[in-house]
Amino acid sequence: MSVSSIVPSRVTPLSVTDLFTIGIGPSSSHTVGPMRAAHAFADEALALGTPVSLRCDLFGSLALTGRGHGTDNAVLLGLSGWLPEKIDPDAVPQIVNAIGASGHLDLAGKVAVPFGPGSDIAFRTGEFLKDHANALRFTASYSGGRKLERTYLSVGGGAIRVKGAAPARINVSVSYPFYAATDLLALGKEHGLSIAAIMWANEEAWRPRAETEAFIDSVRAAMLACIDRGCRTDGVLPGGLNVSRRAKHLHEKLLARGPRADPSAIFEWVSLYALAVNEENAAGGRVVTAPTNGAAGVLPAVLKYYEVFVPTATVEGARTFLMTASAIGFLYKVRASISGAEMGCQGEVGVACSMAAAGLVAALGGSNAQIENAAEIGMEHNLGLTCDPIKGLVQIPCIERNTMGAVKAINAAYLALQGDGRHVVSLDAVIETMRQTGNDMRTKYKETALGGLAVNVVEC
């Protein structure tokens, strides 16, 4: 495979802030993305005057599993001027209920506009727009017959695009552009740089290093705080499946065992960390999109493993973990997709596993070749993973799937560290395989709740 099969001039430069975002659950593509789209539309609509009516039509996966993912609530919040990184998750029910009770919302947080959630949000089940499986169309009507219509695509990880709009031109020139894993390896060899060092240098094109460090530290802190919250909270998750939270009880049992001398207990702790995050996500709590919400527990669990169980762990090592993981995440975003509606869960938990494996090897002092090998192992054994959430909720199999992804990432990291980086299947080859597999995968297995566990488990 060539060094880069993608023409660099056609690829929008990415920053670590595009990959990690702090928002709310339960889904980056179905909650975070639609909220951002609604927020953007609200600002544009209000700039043209006060609408007499608003409407939102949801298509594809957003229509089929939007209720379980809270897409309708996300639309209400975004139209009301809220962004996922700004809103208090505990305030969401009150805001949503007030809109339903009053029959109006404050557009962009400023002007009251009539809006009935039950009548003005339409789930167009069975209708897919050709541009992307996650699409939503907003319409604002004004007196005199004027209308404003925009269609947004929620492309994964909370990112959105306006249908038909040319990609924004970003005037950023990074020091070490890369569009393939072979690029990363070649740059590292030529300049004597680690993958993390390449990322740090590239981020300086966006902002001073101190600001990037502060951002990475905030991501780390949010990940660890999410684990802590999940370990303290019990109850039943919303949505109707009556799934009980397990993290708090498991945490108490592990603490009661005393010192963590039993090696087998390590993986129970890692599973606990992932459970805690994804139970918080399922409950609509504050999580880090890494690289999606459905896969939000993998990286925090492996990072926590590094900080708790590796005696030589340091804060700088945690930064190296996250920066290296983000470089691997870039490759999947540029060369394939991290959207479950396009790739299935291989594009979510599979990508997170690949990123976490690479990050852990880097934090443990592995070479660039070993990092690339770990990332490849992490994805190779997630190829074909479907996205088939029961009842369209990010609960079953999503929560446990994150525990498996975290454990698999650690296994992949240590397998790679036992070698010298030489291996048969390249990371670029496995990313291309994931892309092809996702394209070949039937739609019912890609976040539609029309196949797999979603139809073979009888709802009680």
Side-chain angles (χ1 to χ4, degrees), residues 421-446:
R422 289 179 292 181
H423 54 110
V424 174
V425 180
S426 71
L427 177 56
D428 290 331
V430 86
I431 292 174
E432 174 59 18
T433 303
M434 186 200 82
R435 188 191 67 80
Q436 294 177 7
T437 302
N439 288 343
D440 291 341
M441 191 182 291
R442 294 179 65 178
T443 299
K444 69 179 183 178
Y445 297 117
K446 295 192 285 189

mmCIF file with all atom_site columns, all heavy atoms in Angstrom, residues 421-446:
data_model
loop_
_atom_site.group_PDB
_atom_site.id
_atom_site.type_symbol
_atom_site.label_atom_id
_atom_site.label_alt_id
_atom_site.label_comp_id
_atom_site.label_asym_id
_atom_site.label_entity_id
_atom_site.label_seq_id
_atom_site.pdbx_PDB_ins_code
_atom_site.Cartn_x
_atom_site.Cartn_y
_atom_site.Cartn_z
_atom_site.occupancy
_atom_site.B_iso_or_equiv
_atom_site.pdbx_formal_charge
_atom_site.auth_seq_id
_atom_site.auth_comp_id
_atom_site.auth_asym_id
_atom_site.auth_atom_id
_atom_site.pdbx_PDB_model_num
ATOM 1   N N   . GLY A 1 421 ? 7.813   -4.791  16.471 1.00 0.00 ? 421 GLY A N   1
ATOM 2   C CA  . GLY A 1 421 ? 7.053   -3.913  15.582 1.00 0.00 ? 421 GLY A CA  1
ATOM 3   C C   . GLY A 1 421 ? 6.828   -4.476  14.200 1.00 0.00 ? 421 GLY A C   1
ATOM 4   O O   . GLY A 1 421 ? 5.985   -3.974  13.452 1.00 0.00 ? 421 GLY A O   1
ATOM 5   N N   . ARG A 1 422 ? 7.588   -5.520  13.844 1.00 0.00 ? 422 ARG A N   1
ATOM 6   C CA  . ARG A 1 422 ? 7.402   -6.120  12.521 1.00 0.00 ? 422 ARG A CA  1
ATOM 7   C C   . ARG A 1 422 ? 6.207   -7.066  12.554 1.00 0.00 ? 422 ARG A C   1
ATOM 8   O O   . ARG A 1 422 ? 6.096   -7.913  13.434 1.00 0.00 ? 422 ARG A O   1
ATOM 9   C CB  . ARG A 1 422 ? 8.669   -6.875  12.101 1.00 0.00 ? 422 ARG A CB  1
ATOM 10  C CG  . ARG A 1 422 ? 9.837   -5.964  11.758 1.00 0.00 ? 422 ARG A CG  1
ATOM 11  C CD  . ARG A 1 422 ? 11.057  -6.750  11.366 1.00 0.00 ? 422 ARG A CD  1
ATOM 12  N NE  . ARG A 1 422 ? 11.600  -7.495  12.511 1.00 0.00 ? 422 ARG A NE  1
ATOM 13  C CZ  . ARG A 1 422 ? 12.700  -8.256  12.446 1.00 0.00 ? 422 ARG A CZ  1
ATOM 14  N NH1 . ARG A 1 422 ? 13.358  -8.378  11.302 1.00 0.00 ? 422 ARG A NH1 1
ATOM 15  N NH2 . ARG A 1 422 ? 13.126  -8.888  13.533 1.00 0.00 ? 422 ARG A NH2 1
ATOM 16  N N   . HIS A 1 423 ? 5.306   -6.921  11.581 1.00 0.00 ? 423 HIS A N   1
ATOM 17  C CA  . HIS A 1 423 ? 4.131   -7.776  11.519 1.00 0.00 ? 423 HIS A CA  1
ATOM 18  C C   . HIS A 1 423 ? 3.600   -7.796  10.101 1.00 0.00 ? 423 HIS A C   1
ATOM 19  O O   . HIS A 1 423 ? 4.003   -6.978  9.257  1.00 0.00 ? 423 HIS A O   1
ATOM 20  C CB  . HIS A 1 423 ? 3.060   -7.306  12.504 1.00 0.00 ? 423 HIS A CB  1
ATOM 21  C CG  . HIS A 1 423 ? 2.674   -5.865  12.366 1.00 0.00 ? 423 HIS A CG  1
ATOM 22  N ND1 . HIS A 1 423 ? 1.450   -5.469  11.878 1.00 0.00 ? 423 HIS A ND1 1
ATOM 23  C CD2 . HIS A 1 423 ? 3.345   -4.720  12.623 1.00 0.00 ? 423 HIS A CD2 1
ATOM 24  C CE1 . HIS A 1 423 ? 1.384   -4.142  11.854 1.00 0.00 ? 423 HIS A CE1 1
ATOM 25  N NE2 . HIS A 1 423 ? 2.517   -3.661  12.306 1.00 0.00 ? 423 HIS A NE2 1
ATOM 26  N N   . VAL A 1 424 ? 2.694   -8.708  9.827  1.00 0.00 ? 424 VAL A N   1
ATOM 27  C CA  . VAL A 1 424 ? 2.248   -8.950  8.447  1.00 0.00 ? 424 VAL A CA  1
ATOM 28  C C   . VAL A 1 424 ? 1.199   -7.936  7.995  1.00 0.00 ? 424 VAL A C   1
ATOM 29  O O   . VAL A 1 424 ? 1.282   -7.371  6.911  1.00 0.00 ? 424 VAL A O   1
ATOM 30  C CB  . VAL A 1 424 ? 1.701   -10.390 8.303  1.00 0.00 ? 424 VAL A CB  1
ATOM 31  C CG1 . VAL A 1 424 ? 1.107   -10.600 6.905  1.00 0.00 ? 424 VAL A CG1 1
ATOM 32  C CG2 . VAL A 1 424 ? 2.801   -11.408 8.585  1.00 0.00 ? 424 VAL A CG2 1
ATOM 33  N N   . VAL A 1 425 ? 0.181   -7.699  8.817  1.00 0.00 ? 425 VAL A N   1
ATOM 34  C CA  . VAL A 1 425 ? -0.930  -6.820  8.437  1.00 0.00 ? 425 VAL A CA  1
ATOM 35  C C   . VAL A 1 425 ? -0.636  -5.409  8.950  1.00 0.00 ? 425 VAL A C   1
ATOM 36  O O   . VAL A 1 425 ? -0.449  -5.202  10.150 1.00 0.00 ? 425 VAL A O   1
ATOM 37  C CB  . VAL A 1 425 ? -2.258  -7.331  9.021  1.00 0.00 ? 425 VAL A CB  1
ATOM 38  C CG1 . VAL A 1 425 ? -3.402  -6.407  8.615  1.00 0.00 ? 425 VAL A CG1 1
ATOM 39  C CG2 . VAL A 1 425 ? -2.535  -8.759  8.564  1.00 0.00 ? 425 VAL A CG2 1
ATOM 40  N N   . SER A 1 426 ? -0.625  -4.432  8.058  1.00 0.00 ? 426 SER A N   1
ATOM 41  C CA  . SER A 1 426 ? -0.361  -3.052  8.473  1.00 0.00 ? 426 SER A CA  1
ATOM 42  C C   . SER A 1 426 ? -1.624  -2.394  9.012  1.00 0.00 ? 426 SER A C   1
ATOM 43  O O   . SER A 1 426 ? -2.742  -2.839  8.732  1.00 0.00 ? 426 SER A O   1
ATOM 44  C CB  . SER A 1 426 ? 0.163   -2.227  7.296  1.00 0.00 ? 426 SER A CB  1
ATOM 45  O OG  . SER A 1 426 ? -0.879  -2.004  6.360  1.00 0.00 ? 426 SER A OG  1
ATOM 46  N N   . LEU A 1 427 ? -1.445  -1.344  9.799  1.00 0.00 ? 427 LEU A N   1
ATOM 47  C CA  . LEU A 1 427 ? -2.605  -0.596  10.298 1.00 0.00 ? 427 LEU A CA  1
ATOM 48  C C   . LEU A 1 427 ? -3.390  0.000   9.136  1.00 0.00 ? 427 LEU A C   1
ATOM 49  O O   . LEU A 1 427 ? -4.624  -0.001  9.153  1.00 0.00 ? 427 LEU A O   1
ATOM 50  C CB  . LEU A 1 427 ? -2.143  0.508   11.255 1.00 0.00 ? 427 LEU A CB  1
ATOM 51  C CG  . LEU A 1 427 ? -3.236  1.431   11.809 1.00 0.00 ? 427 LEU A CG  1
ATOM 52  C CD1 . LEU A 1 427 ? -4.327  0.641   12.519 1.00 0.00 ? 427 LEU A CD1 1
ATOM 53  C CD2 . LEU A 1 427 ? -2.633  2.468   12.748 1.00 0.00 ? 427 LEU A CD2 1
ATOM 54  N N   . ASP A 1 428 ? -2.707  0.515   8.123  1.00 0.00 ? 428 ASP A N   1
ATOM 55  C CA  . ASP A 1 428 ? -3.416  1.067   6.970  1.00 0.00 ? 428 ASP A CA  1
ATOM 56  C C   . ASP A 1 428 ? -4.286  0.008   6.298  1.00 0.00 ? 428 ASP A C   1
ATOM 57  O O   . ASP A 1 428 ? -5.418  0.286   5.888  1.00 0.00 ? 428 ASP A O   1
ATOM 58  C CB  . ASP A 1 428 ? -2.419  1.637   5.955  1.00 0.00 ? 428 ASP A CB  1
ATOM 59  C CG  . ASP A 1 428 ? -1.737  2.899   6.449  1.00 0.00 ? 428 ASP A CG  1
ATOM 60  O OD1 . ASP A 1 428 ? -2.355  3.624   7.247  1.00 0.00 ? 428 ASP A OD1 1
ATOM 61  O OD2 . ASP A 1 428 ? -0.589  3.157   6.047  1.00 0.00 ? 428 ASP A OD2 1
ATOM 62  N N   . ALA A 1 429 ? -3.761  -1.221  6.206  1.00 0.00 ? 429 ALA A N   1
ATOM 63  C CA  . ALA A 1 429 ? -4.528  -2.299  5.577  1.00 0.00 ? 429 ALA A CA  1
ATOM 64  C C   . ALA A 1 429 ? -5.759  -2.641  6.401  1.00 0.00 ? 429 ALA A C   1
ATOM 65  O O   . ALA A 1 429 ? -6.845  -2.885  5.859  1.00 0.00 ? 429 ALA A O   1
ATOM 66  C CB  . ALA A 1 429 ? -3.647  -3.532  5.393  1.00 0.00 ? 429 ALA A CB  1
ATOM 67  N N   . VAL A 1 430 ? -5.625  -2.634  7.731  1.00 0.00 ? 430 VAL A N   1
ATOM 68  C CA  . VAL A 1 430 ? -6.771  -3.012  8.559  1.00 0.00 ? 430 VAL A CA  1
ATOM 69  C C   . VAL A 1 430 ? -7.817  -1.888  8.576  1.00 0.00 ? 430 VAL A C   1
ATOM 70  O O   . VAL A 1 430 ? -9.022  -2.157  8.650  1.00 0.00 ? 430 VAL A O   1
ATOM 71  C CB  . VAL A 1 430 ? -6.313  -3.399  9.982  1.00 0.00 ? 430 VAL A CB  1
ATOM 72  C CG1 . VAL A 1 430 ? -6.195  -2.207  10.905 1.00 0.00 ? 430 VAL A CG1 1
ATOM 73  C CG2 . VAL A 1 430 ? -7.263  -4.430  10.592 1.00 0.00 ? 430 VAL A CG2 1
ATOM 74  N N   . ILE A 1 431 ? -7.380  -0.626  8.485  1.00 0.00 ? 431 ILE A N   1
ATOM 75  C CA  . ILE A 1 431 ? -8.343  0.481   8.398  1.00 0.00 ? 431 ILE A CA  1
ATOM 76  C C   . ILE A 1 431 ? -9.125  0.392   7.094  1.00 0.00 ? 431 ILE A C   1
ATOM 77  O O   . ILE A 1 431 ? -10.352 0.567   7.066  1.00 0.00 ? 431 ILE A O   1
ATOM 78  C CB  . ILE A 1 431 ? -7.636  1.840   8.520  1.00 0.00 ? 431 ILE A CB  1
ATOM 79  C CG1 . ILE A 1 431 ? -7.070  2.017   9.934  1.00 0.00 ? 431 ILE A CG1 1
ATOM 80  C CG2 . ILE A 1 431 ? -8.601  2.983   8.196  1.00 0.00 ? 431 ILE A CG2 1
ATOM 81  C CD1 . ILE A 1 431 ? -6.229  3.265   10.116 1.00 0.00 ? 431 ILE A CD1 1
ATOM 82  N N   . GLU A 1 432 ? -8.414  0.090   6.000  1.00 0.00 ? 432 GLU A N   1
ATOM 83  C CA  . GLU A 1 432 ? -9.103  -0.057  4.716  1.00 0.00 ? 432 GLU A CA  1
ATOM 84  C C   . GLU A 1 432 ? -10.059 -1.253  4.754  1.00 0.00 ? 432 GLU A C   1
ATOM 85  O O   . GLU A 1 432 ? -11.168 -1.194  4.197  1.00 0.00 ? 432 GLU A O   1
ATOM 86  C CB  . GLU A 1 432 ? -8.086  -0.218  3.591  1.00 0.00 ? 432 GLU A CB  1
ATOM 87  C CG  . GLU A 1 432 ? -8.669  -0.522  2.222  1.00 0.00 ? 432 GLU A CG  1
ATOM 88  C CD  . GLU A 1 432 ? -9.648  0.538   1.710  1.00 0.00 ? 432 GLU A CD  1
ATOM 89  O OE1 . GLU A 1 432 ? -9.648  1.687   2.236  1.00 0.00 ? 432 GLU A OE1 1
ATOM 90  O OE2 . GLU A 1 432 ? -10.420 0.226   0.789  1.00 0.00 ? 432 GLU A OE2 1
ATOM 91  N N   . THR A 1 433 ? -9.664  -2.308  5.427  1.00 0.00 ? 433 THR A N   1
ATOM 92  C CA  . THR A 1 433 ? -10.532 -3.473  5.566  1.00 0.00 ? 433 THR A CA  1
ATOM 93  C C   . THR A 1 433 ? -11.776 -3.121  6.366  1.00 0.00 ? 433 THR A C   1
ATOM 94  O O   . THR A 1 433 ? -12.895 -3.543  6.030  1.00 0.00 ? 433 THR A O   1
ATOM 95  C CB  . THR A 1 433 ? -9.774  -4.626  6.242  1.00 0.00 ? 433 THR A CB  1
ATOM 96  O OG1 . THR A 1 433 ? -8.610  -4.942  5.482  1.00 0.00 ? 433 THR A OG1 1
ATOM 97  C CG2 . THR A 1 433 ? -10.648 -5.866  6.357  1.00 0.00 ? 433 THR A CG2 1
ATOM 98  N N   . MET A 1 434 ? -11.593 -2.347  7.437  1.00 0.00 ? 434 MET A N   1
ATOM 99  C CA  . MET A 1 434 ? -12.745 -1.904  8.218  1.00 0.00 ? 434 MET A CA  1
ATOM 100 C C   . MET A 1 434 ? -13.695 -1.093  7.355  1.00 0.00 ? 434 MET A C   1
ATOM 101 O O   . MET A 1 434 ? -14.922 -1.271  7.409  1.00 0.00 ? 434 MET A O   1
ATOM 102 C CB  . MET A 1 434 ? -12.299 -1.071  9.420  1.00 0.00 ? 434 MET A CB  1
ATOM 103 C CG  . MET A 1 434 ? -13.444 -0.701  10.351 1.00 0.00 ? 434 MET A CG  1
ATOM 104 S SD  . MET A 1 434 ? -13.129 0.711   11.428 1.00 0.00 ? 434 MET A SD  1
ATOM 105 C CE  . MET A 1 434 ? -13.483 2.079   10.323 1.00 0.00 ? 434 MET A CE  1
ATOM 106 N N   . ARG A 1 435 ? -13.149 -0.191  6.542  1.00 0.00 ? 435 ARG A N   1
ATOM 107 C CA  . ARG A 1 435 ? -13.988 0.641   5.676  1.00 0.00 ? 435 ARG A CA  1
ATOM 108 C C   . ARG A 1 435 ? -14.786 -0.221  4.705  1.00 0.00 ? 435 ARG A C   1
ATOM 109 O O   . ARG A 1 435 ? -16.002 -0.038  4.538  1.00 0.00 ? 435 ARG A O   1
ATOM 110 C CB  . ARG A 1 435 ? -13.120 1.639   4.908  1.00 0.00 ? 435 ARG A CB  1
ATOM 111 C CG  . ARG A 1 435 ? -13.919 2.678   4.112  1.00 0.00 ? 435 ARG A CG  1
ATOM 112 C CD  . ARG A 1 435 ? -13.017 3.461   3.160  1.00 0.00 ? 435 ARG A CD  1
ATOM 113 N NE  . ARG A 1 435 ? -12.484 2.602   2.099  1.00 0.00 ? 435 ARG A NE  1
ATOM 114 C CZ  . ARG A 1 435 ? -13.163 2.259   1.010  1.00 0.00 ? 435 ARG A CZ  1
ATOM 115 N NH1 . ARG A 1 435 ? -14.401 2.684   0.826  1.00 0.00 ? 435 ARG A NH1 1
ATOM 116 N NH2 . ARG A 1 435 ? -12.613 1.480   0.099  1.00 0.00 ? 435 ARG A NH2 1
ATOM 117 N N   . GLN A 1 436 ? -14.111 -1.169  4.055  1.00 0.00 ? 436 GLN A N   1
ATOM 118 C CA  . GLN A 1 436 ? -14.794 -2.037  3.108  1.00 0.00 ? 436 GLN A CA  1
ATOM 119 C C   . GLN A 1 436 ? -15.849 -2.902  3.806  1.00 0.00 ? 436 GLN A C   1
ATOM 120 O O   . GLN A 1 436 ? -16.958 -3.096  3.293  1.00 0.00 ? 436 GLN A O   1
ATOM 121 C CB  . GLN A 1 436 ? -13.781 -2.926  2.393  1.00 0.00 ? 436 GLN A CB  1
ATOM 122 C CG  . GLN A 1 436 ? -12.818 -2.182  1.481  1.00 0.00 ? 436 GLN A CG  1
ATOM 123 C CD  . GLN A 1 436 ? -11.781 -3.100  0.855  1.00 0.00 ? 436 GLN A CD  1
ATOM 124 O OE1 . GLN A 1 436 ? -11.845 -4.317  0.985  1.00 0.00 ? 436 GLN A OE1 1
ATOM 125 N NE2 . GLN A 1 436 ? -10.802 -2.510  0.187  1.00 0.00 ? 436 GLN A NE2 1
ATOM 126 N N   . THR A 1 437 ? -15.500 -3.405  4.975  1.00 0.00 ? 437 THR A N   1
ATOM 127 C CA  . THR A 1 437 ? -16.440 -4.231  5.731  1.00 0.00 ? 437 THR A CA  1
ATOM 128 C C   . THR A 1 437 ? -17.674 -3.423  6.118  1.00 0.00 ? 437 THR A C   1
ATOM 129 O O   . THR A 1 437 ? -18.806 -3.906  6.030  1.00 0.00 ? 437 THR A O   1
ATOM 130 C CB  . THR A 1 437 ? -15.764 -4.787  6.992  1.00 0.00 ? 437 THR A CB  1
ATOM 131 O OG1 . THR A 1 437 ? -14.612 -5.541  6.617  1.00 0.00 ? 437 THR A OG1 1
ATOM 132 C CG2 . THR A 1 437 ? -16.710 -5.679  7.787  1.00 0.00 ? 437 THR A CG2 1
ATOM 133 N N   . GLY A 1 438 ? -17.449 -2.180  6.556  1.00 0.00 ? 438 GLY A N   1
ATOM 134 C CA  . GLY A 1 438 ? -18.572 -1.321  6.898  1.00 0.00 ? 438 GLY A CA  1
ATOM 135 C C   . GLY A 1 438 ? -19.471 -1.045  5.710  1.00 0.00 ? 438 GLY A C   1
ATOM 136 O O   . GLY A 1 438 ? -20.704 -1.040  5.830  1.00 0.00 ? 438 GLY A O   1
ATOM 137 N N   . ASN A 1 439 ? -18.866 -0.808  4.562  1.00 0.00 ? 439 ASN A N   1
ATOM 138 C CA  . ASN A 1 439 ? -19.661 -0.563  3.348  1.00 0.00 ? 439 ASN A CA  1
ATOM 139 C C   . ASN A 1 439 ? -20.450 -1.804  2.940  1.00 0.00 ? 439 ASN A C   1
ATOM 140 O O   . ASN A 1 439 ? -21.562 -1.697  2.410  1.00 0.00 ? 439 ASN A O   1
ATOM 141 C CB  . ASN A 1 439 ? -18.752 -0.127  2.206  1.00 0.00 ? 439 ASN A CB  1
ATOM 142 C CG  . ASN A 1 439 ? -18.212 1.274   2.396  1.00 0.00 ? 439 ASN A CG  1
ATOM 143 O OD1 . ASN A 1 439 ? -18.732 2.049   3.191  1.00 0.00 ? 439 ASN A OD1 1
ATOM 144 N ND2 . ASN A 1 439 ? -17.154 1.612   1.680  1.00 0.00 ? 439 ASN A ND2 1
ATOM 145 N N   . ASP A 1 440 ? -19.875 -2.989  3.173  1.00 0.00 ? 440 ASP A N   1
ATOM 146 C CA  . ASP A 1 440 ? -20.551 -4.231  2.800  1.00 0.00 ? 440 ASP A CA  1
ATOM 147 C C   . ASP A 1 440 ? -21.596 -4.655  3.828  1.00 0.00 ? 440 ASP A C   1
ATOM 148 O O   . ASP A 1 440 ? -22.499 -5.437  3.516  1.00 0.00 ? 440 ASP A O   1
ATOM 149 C CB  . ASP A 1 440 ? -19.521 -5.369  2.661  1.00 0.00 ? 440 ASP A CB  1
ATOM 150 C CG  . ASP A 1 440 ? -18.606 -5.196  1.458  1.00 0.00 ? 440 ASP A CG  1
ATOM 151 O OD1 . ASP A 1 440 ? -18.974 -4.428  0.547  1.00 0.00 ? 440 ASP A OD1 1
ATOM 152 O OD2 . ASP A 1 440 ? -17.524 -5.810  1.444  1.00 0.00 ? 440 ASP A OD2 1
ATOM 153 N N   . MET A 1 441 ? -21.481 -4.162  5.041  1.00 0.00 ? 441 MET A N   1
ATOM 154 C CA  . MET A 1 441 ? -22.384 -4.574  6.120  1.00 0.00 ? 441 MET A CA  1
ATOM 155 C C   . MET A 1 441 ? -23.814 -4.123  5.815  1.00 0.00 ? 441 MET A C   1
ATOM 156 O O   . MET A 1 441 ? -24.039 -2.996  5.386  1.00 0.00 ? 441 MET A O   1
ATOM 157 C CB  . MET A 1 441 ? -21.904 -3.967  7.448  1.00 0.00 ? 441 MET A CB  1
ATOM 158 C CG  . MET A 1 441 ? -22.583 -4.510  8.688  1.00 0.00 ? 441 MET A CG  1
ATOM 159 S SD  . MET A 1 441 ? -21.972 -3.690  10.200 1.00 0.00 ? 441 MET A SD  1
ATOM 160 C CE  . MET A 1 441 ? -20.299 -4.313  10.276 1.00 0.00 ? 441 MET A CE  1
ATOM 161 N N   . ARG A 1 442 ? -24.767 -4.988  6.036  1.00 0.00 ? 442 ARG A N   1
ATOM 162 C CA  . ARG A 1 442 ? -26.161 -4.643  5.773  1.00 0.00 ? 442 ARG A CA  1
ATOM 163 C C   . ARG A 1 442 ? -26.615 -3.549  6.734  1.00 0.00 ? 442 ARG A C   1
ATOM 164 O O   . ARG A 1 442 ? -26.194 -3.496  7.899  1.00 0.00 ? 442 ARG A O   1
ATOM 165 C CB  . ARG A 1 442 ? -27.036 -5.886  5.910  1.00 0.00 ? 442 ARG A CB  1
ATOM 166 C CG  . ARG A 1 442 ? -26.751 -6.937  4.850  1.00 0.00 ? 442 ARG A CG  1
ATOM 167 C CD  . ARG A 1 442 ? -27.611 -8.166  5.030  1.00 0.00 ? 442 ARG A CD  1
ATOM 168 N NE  . ARG A 1 442 ? -29.030 -7.874  4.821  1.00 0.00 ? 442 ARG A NE  1
ATOM 169 C CZ  . ARG A 1 442 ? -29.982 -8.807  4.884  1.00 0.00 ? 442 ARG A CZ  1
ATOM 170 N NH1 . ARG A 1 442 ? -29.660 -10.070 5.165  1.00 0.00 ? 442 ARG A NH1 1
ATOM 171 N NH2 . ARG A 1 442 ? -31.238 -8.481  4.690  1.00 0.00 ? 442 ARG A NH2 1
ATOM 172 N N   . THR A 1 443 ? -27.492 -2.693  6.252  1.00 0.00 ? 443 THR A N   1
ATOM 173 C CA  . THR A 1 443 ? -27.942 -1.539  7.018  1.00 0.00 ? 443 THR A CA  1
ATOM 174 C C   . THR A 1 443 ? -28.542 -1.935  8.360  1.00 0.00 ? 443 THR A C   1
ATOM 175 O O   . THR A 1 443 ? -28.389 -1.213  9.353  1.00 0.00 ? 443 THR A O   1
ATOM 176 C CB  . THR A 1 443 ? -28.980 -0.736  6.209  1.00 0.00 ? 443 THR A CB  1
ATOM 177 O OG1 . THR A 1 443 ? -28.366 -0.279  4.997  1.00 0.00 ? 443 THR A OG1 1
ATOM 178 C CG2 . THR A 1 443 ? -29.488 0.464   6.986  1.00 0.00 ? 443 THR A CG2 1
ATOM 179 N N   . LYS A 1 444 ? -29.200 -3.079  8.419  1.00 0.00 ? 444 LYS A N   1
ATOM 180 C CA  . LYS A 1 444 ? -29.877 -3.449  9.661  1.00 0.00 ? 444 LYS A CA  1
ATOM 181 C C   . LYS A 1 444 ? -28.899 -3.698  10.805 1.00 0.00 ? 444 LYS A C   1
ATOM 182 O O   . LYS A 1 444 ? -29.302 -3.743  11.972 1.00 0.00 ? 444 LYS A O   1
ATOM 183 C CB  . LYS A 1 444 ? -30.763 -4.673  9.443  1.00 0.00 ? 444 LYS A CB  1
ATOM 184 C CG  . LYS A 1 444 ? -30.036 -5.978  9.189  1.00 0.00 ? 444 LYS A CG  1
ATOM 185 C CD  . LYS A 1 444 ? -31.065 -7.101  9.020  1.00 0.00 ? 444 LYS A CD  1
ATOM 186 C CE  . LYS A 1 444 ? -30.400 -8.457  8.834  1.00 0.00 ? 444 LYS A CE  1
ATOM 187 N NZ  . LYS A 1 444 ? -31.406 -9.538  8.716  1.00 0.00 ? 444 LYS A NZ  1
ATOM 188 N N   . TYR A 1 445 ? -27.619 -3.843  10.493 1.00 0.00 ? 445 TYR A N   1
ATOM 189 C CA  . TYR A 1 445 ? -26.609 -4.050  11.521 1.00 0.00 ? 445 TYR A CA  1
ATOM 190 C C   . TYR A 1 445 ? -25.827 -2.779  11.844 1.00 0.00 ? 445 TYR A C   1
ATOM 191 O O   . TYR A 1 445 ? -24.787 -2.837  12.489 1.00 0.00 ? 445 TYR A O   1
ATOM 192 C CB  . TYR A 1 445 ? -25.638 -5.152  11.100 1.00 0.00 ? 445 TYR A CB  1
ATOM 193 C CG  . TYR A 1 445 ? -26.298 -6.501  10.934 1.00 0.00 ? 445 TYR A CG  1
ATOM 194 C CD1 . TYR A 1 445 ? -26.325 -7.139  9.699  1.00 0.00 ? 445 TYR A CD1 1
ATOM 195 C CD2 . TYR A 1 445 ? -26.909 -7.128  12.012 1.00 0.00 ? 445 TYR A CD2 1
ATOM 196 C CE1 . TYR A 1 445 ? -26.937 -8.364  9.542  1.00 0.00 ? 445 TYR A CE1 1
ATOM 197 C CE2 . TYR A 1 445 ? -27.535 -8.356  11.860 1.00 0.00 ? 445 TYR A CE2 1
ATOM 198 C CZ  . TYR A 1 445 ? -27.543 -8.973  10.626 1.00 0.00 ? 445 TYR A CZ  1
ATOM 199 O OH  . TYR A 1 445 ? -28.171 -10.189 10.473 1.00 0.00 ? 445 TYR A OH  1
ATOM 200 N N   . LYS A 1 446 ? -26.319 -1.645  11.376 1.00 0.00 ? 446 LYS A N   1
ATOM 201 C CA  . LYS A 1 446 ? -25.579 -0.389  11.568 1.00 0.00 ? 446 LYS A CA  1
ATOM 202 C C   . LYS A 1 446 ? -26.459 0.645   12.270 1.00 0.00 ? 446 LYS A C   1
ATOM 203 O O   . LYS A 1 446 ? -26.969 1.567   11.659 1.00 0.00 ? 446 LYS A O   1
ATOM 204 C CB  . LYS A 1 446 ? -25.048 0.130   10.225 1.00 0.00 ? 446 LYS A CB  1
ATOM 205 C CG  . LYS A 1 446 ? -23.998 -0.788  9.597  1.00 0.00 ? 446 LYS A CG  1
ATOM 206 C CD  . LYS A 1 446 ? -23.264 -0.154  8.445  1.00 0.00 ? 446 LYS A CD  1
ATOM 207 C CE  . LYS A 1 446 ? -24.098 -0.080  7.194  1.00 0.00 ? 446 LYS A CE  1
ATOM 208 N NZ  . LYS A 1 446 ? -23.279 0.358   6.028  1.00 0.00 ? 446 LYS A NZ  1
#
